[in-house]
Amino acid sequence: MISKKMMQLGKKRSAIRETFEYSKIREQQIGKENVFDFSIGNPSVPAPDCITQTLIDLLKNSNPVELHGYTSAQGDLASRKAVADFIDKTQHAYLDPNYIYLTVGASAALSATFHAISVPDDEIILFAPYFAEYSVFIDSAGAKLVSCPSHSDTLLPDFDALEKLITAHTKAVVVNSPNNPTGVVYPSKTIQQLADILVRKEKEFDSQIFIVSDEPYRELVYDNTVVPYIPAYYTDTIVCYSFSKIWSLPGERIGYVALTPNMRSIDDIYAAICGAGRYLGYICAPSMYQKLMPLCMGATSDIKVYEQNRNILYDALTQYGFSCVHPDGAFYLFVKSPESDANIFCQKAKEFELLLVASDSFGYPGFVRISYCKTTQQILNSLPAFEKLAKSYNLK
């Protein structure tokens, strides 16, 4: 016998991955230049020069045994200190490197966090729309996913609904800002309102409710948008971060979990994070990239390309008659489907070789996600297909 649950997860990929794999087949059939794949958030700009040069220097000048050897299970202290120093410099917020755990990207950070804080019957609240894989991470930790709606005009959380959803079983609320799949950034007013609600609910239920802040897109913002640093608003915050997007290194998988230093029971919570890492096999994040961190902290890829792509695509799609909330960050457009069933709309889009992801798996039906982290030329080449798609629905 094998695990049917694991088998089912292996046989049925996420909607994002399913579309991405379809694109590979279609590219072989008709040529990559003829397929407009907007499925996956795979950065299209190169890593910063600092990254490339530092990796070359490390490979040339380091002791190879030390470069590729094990670090401490929770990550090298110098690398964890680099994270803490950078947050102090950029956010004016103190982090203790002894409460930072380096991980194989944000997915490992989130999974370890949910395993660390969850016991049977715990509930974790997500603001829909949300990143689809959260449901897998939460389920694997033995917790229950509770979906809280967002306002359709802003895609910001509906706090009236949240007040009713928080119970004695609520263990955490997940915040993903800038958001995947919408690109929406939660302003400081929203974060403060959330913090006030949770403080009140902690007192009401005599409980500890965490904010799990998922931050792989923290620096990916446009138009001088400010992303509030949530630990500055709420004590019981656990930050899950990845360098994948801002460094254009999604395949290298390096990130961290960081606990807010004045969190209650912090020693036990950090021990649980370490224990979850051990339980899941997430110990010793890639050592060469740990050594890269102190040398390149603060380096960024050229996000002006994404901003240009956003402007081109948003302006064109709204001109063609599509409707979407203007994104301030990340590299996604969340577009209202002309069909009540977005899956039917995605099938229609395929007729024009446009590969989009239906929003059902994001917990918010009726939309599609468009990932615009493509080359600008690819964006421009896709516009005639989008215009034909719009005309097929008589959107104008």
Side-chain angles (χ1 to χ4, degrees):
M1 293 290 291
I2 61 172
S3 169
K4 290 184 179 180
K5 186 175 183 178
M6 296 302 108
M7 181 181 67
Q8 289 167 356
L9 282 173
K11 286 187 174 183
K12 183 174 174 57
R13 292 182 287 244
S14 71
I16 297 169
R17 286 286 175 178
E18 201 68 51
T19 307
F20 180 64
E21 294 302 325
Y22 172 83
S23 76
K24 298 304 170 191
I25 297 171
R26 198 70 181 130
E27 286 170 3
Q28 291 179 351
Q29 294 171 338
I30 65 172
K32 186 174 183 178
E33 71 280 4
N34 298 312
V35 179
F36 308 115
D37 177 18
F38 293 99
S39 63
I40 199 166
N42 200 19
S44 59
V45 299
D49 290 342
C50 170
I51 301 290
T52 303
Q53 190 56 54
T54 300
L55 287 173
I56 292 171
D57 292 343
L58 286 170
L59 287 166
K60 282 185 175 180
N61 303 316
S62 301
N63 180 314
V65 174
E66 293 180 0
L67 180 62
H68 301 295
Y70 285 126
T71 66
S72 298
Q74 67 269 39
D76 185 71
L77 179 58
S79 302
R80 289 182 279 128
K81 188 175 185 304
V83 171
D85 290 345
F86 182 70
I87 294 300
D88 184 40
K89 176 183 177 182
T90 57
Q91 304 296 337
H92 308 293
Y94 173 70
L95 283 183
D96 187 334
N98 293 306
Y99 296 117
I100 296 173
Y101 188 95
L102 302 187
T103 61
V104 186
S107 293
L110 290 161
S111 189
T113 295
F114 294 146
H115 274 79
I117 65 176
S118 299
V119 298
D121 296 326
D122 275 351
E123 298 173 348
I124 296 176
I125 297 176
L126 305 179
F127 295 119
Y130 49 77
F131 178 52
E133 291 300 278
Y134 287 158
S135 61
V136 179
F137 304 153
I138 291 170
D139 180 67
S140 71
K144 176 185 176 184
L145 186 160
V146 175
S147 180
C148 178
S150 297
H151 295 289
S152 59
D153 55 340
T154 63
L155 296 175
L156 291 173
D158 182 339
F159 286 132
D160 289 336
L162 177 65
E163 292 258 14
K164 298 172 184 176
L165 290 171
I166 296 174
T167 71
H169 294 292
T170 301
K171 180 56 64 73
V173 176
V174 178
V175 173
N176 175 216
S177 174
N179 182 262
N180 176 8
T182 68
V184 168
V185 175
Y186 292 8
S188 57
K189 180 180 178 181
T190 297
I191 300 302
Q192 187 61 66
Q193 190 173 355
L194 173 61
D196 292 343
I197 291 171
L198 295 184
V199 167
R200 188 168 67 251
K201 290 295 184 178
E202 282 188 322
K203 292 178 180 177
E204 178 181 343
F205 294 113
D206 190 24
S207 62
Q208 185 172 25
I209 303 174
F210 299 97
I211 291 179
V212 177
S213 183
D214 181 24
E215 303 185 355
Y217 304 97
R218 183 197 296 149
E219 295 90 358
L220 273 168
V221 289
Y222 318 111
D223 307 318
N224 298 313
T225 300
V226 175
V227 180
Y229 188 61
I230 296 178
Y233 293 78
Y234 188 70
T235 300
D236 290 326
T237 298
I238 301 173
V239 173
C240 296
Y241 182 83
S242 170
F243 293 93
S244 295
K245 310 302 185 186
I246 198 60
W247 279 356
S248 293
L249 296 176
E252 309 304 345
R253 315 301 287 173
I254 187 73
Y256 63 80
V257 179
L259 305 185
T260 307
N262 52 351
M263 178 184 293
R264 289 173 289 161
S265 306
I266 189 168
D267 290 322
D268 289 344
I269 295 166
Y270 186 71
I273 296 286
C274 294
R278 179 185 177 191
Y279 177 83
L280 295 165
Y282 296 157
I283 60 169
C284 184
S287 59
M288 185 164 66
Y289 288 89
Q290 289 191 44
K291 292 175 173 61
L292 177 77
M293 289 166 59
L295 303 172
C296 292
M297 195 67 67
T300 63
S301 298
D302 184 9
I303 66 172
K304 289 181 181 178
V305 174
Y306 301 142
E307 183 174 14
Q308 182 180 17
N309 290 353
R310 178 202 64 170
N311 294 342
I312 292 170
L313 197 55
Y314 177 84
D315 291 348
L317 293 190
T318 52
Q319 181 184 342
Y320 300 156
F322 291 105
S323 174
C324 60
V325 173
H326 190 269
D328 292 316
F331 35 55
Y332 306 108
L333 282 178
F334 204 60
V335 180
K336 180 72 174 174
S337 169
E339 301 265 8
S340 58
D341 186 339
N343 293 282
I344 296 176
F345 176 54
C346 287
Q347 289 301 315
K348 180 71 173 178
K350 281 183 177 179
E351 296 177 14
F352 303 93
E353 304 301 340
L354 292 165
L355 306 185
L356 319 177
V357 179
S359 64
D360 298 57
S361 61
F362 299 120
Y364 205 85
F367 288 76
V368 295
R369 190 191 78 168
I370 297 176
S371 177
Y372 56 80
C373 52
K374 307 296 176 183
T375 67
T376 302
Q377 191 59 52
Q378 287 173 308
I379 299 291
L380 292 170
N381 290 347
S382 73
L383 296 185
F386 275 115
E387 186 171 19
K388 290 175 184 176
L389 177 62
K391 287 180 178 178
S392 74
Y393 283 99
N394 298 313
L395 292 186
K396 286 188 176 182

